Amino acid sequence: MSPDDFRLQYFAELHQTVFPSSHGKLTLAQVTDYFSSIQKVSEIVGVTVAEFLPWDIIKLKQTLNALNLFNNDKQ
C-alpha cells in the first residue's frame, strides 16, 4: 500500500515524508479493483492486514493522557 494513500502503516508516522523502509505503491482504489476482479472468478476465503498502526489514535491518546481528563488520580 502507498503510505500517501493509506497512512495507517507502522512506518508511516504522522508528518513523515521519508519512510525508513520499503513500501508499496498500491492505492486503496487499486486494491478494491484487484479484489473485485478476483471475486468475479474465485471465492476469497481470507485476507490479512499486517503492520496496521493507527497513528491518529495513538496521538489522540497521548494528548488526552497529558490533559488528565480520564485519569482517576486528581492532581
Side-chain angles (χ1 to χ4, degrees), residues 16-63:
Q16 299 299 316
T17 55
V18 176
F19 306 108
S21 64
S22 61
H23 53 82
K25 297 182 183 198
L26 285 175
T27 65
L28 289 171
Q30 289 173 311
V31 170
T32 301
D33 289 343
Y34 292 147
F35 278 112
S36 295
S37 296
I38 293 167
Q39 284 183 311
K40 290 177 183 173
V41 297
S42 186
E43 179 183 7
I44 298 174
V45 296
V47 176
T48 298
V49 177
E51 298 179 358
F52 177 82
L53 189 60
W55 287 108
D56 293 336
I57 301 303
I58 290 169
K59 293 294 186 185
L60 177 61
K61 179 183 180 284
Q62 291 170 342
T63 299

